[in-house]
Amino acid sequence: KTTIGIFERHSRHVGLDEKGVIIKLEHSGEERKVVDVHPAYALFRDMPHDLAALKGDLTRIAETERRHFVDALNDAAQALGRDHHDAKERQK
């Protein structure tokens, strides 16, 4: 089934499990729509690389939105790196 629509910032829930990222999007307008997406980690990992390959298209994103996106990716990288480093330290 294909669902096409815009889901705003407040309409999402994100989580993790052992297999991948859990994304739930809800649109609560006249016609309520719920989309659950569960991409495996390998697929989710490839998405930022795919976006980076679209260099020319990235200029369509407003500067403030681009900055927020970069900040979010940096925050995620720091959190993931910190957790990875902490786990390695615990194994010693």
Side-chain angles (χ1 to χ4, degrees):
K1 182 176 179 181
T2 300
T3 299
I4 299 173
I6 300 292
F7 293 90
E8 299 295 334
R9 188 176 188 186
H10 65 279
S11 64
R12 67 32 183 138
H13 167 76
V14 178
L16 303 170
D17 69 11
E18 66 281 350
K19 294 185 180 199
V21 178
I22 301 165
I23 303 168
K24 183 174 187 166
L25 304 171
E26 292 187 60
H27 178 72
S28 58
E30 286 181 30
E31 187 179 335
R32 184 172 179 266
K33 294 178 183 169
V34 177
V35 177
D36 290 308
V37 182
H38 194 197
Y41 288 115
L43 173 61
F44 196 75
R45 176 198 66 215
D46 292 344
M47 290 179 185
H49 295 289
D50 295 344
L51 286 171
L54 301 173
K55 292 176 193 166
D57 291 340
L58 295 177
T59 59
R60 292 190 222 167
I61 302 172
E63 179 62 33
T64 54
E65 292 300 323
R66 223 174 330 158
R67 173 62 22 220
H68 290 298
F69 195 51
V70 168
D71 290 346
L73 289 172
N74 286 332
D75 289 348
Q78 286 179 356
L80 288 165
R82 182 174 46 251
D83 290 345
H84 178 70
H85 176 74
D86 292 346
K88 280 184 151 182
E89 288 296 316
R90 285 191 298 269
Q91 290 175 352
K92 289 183 179 180

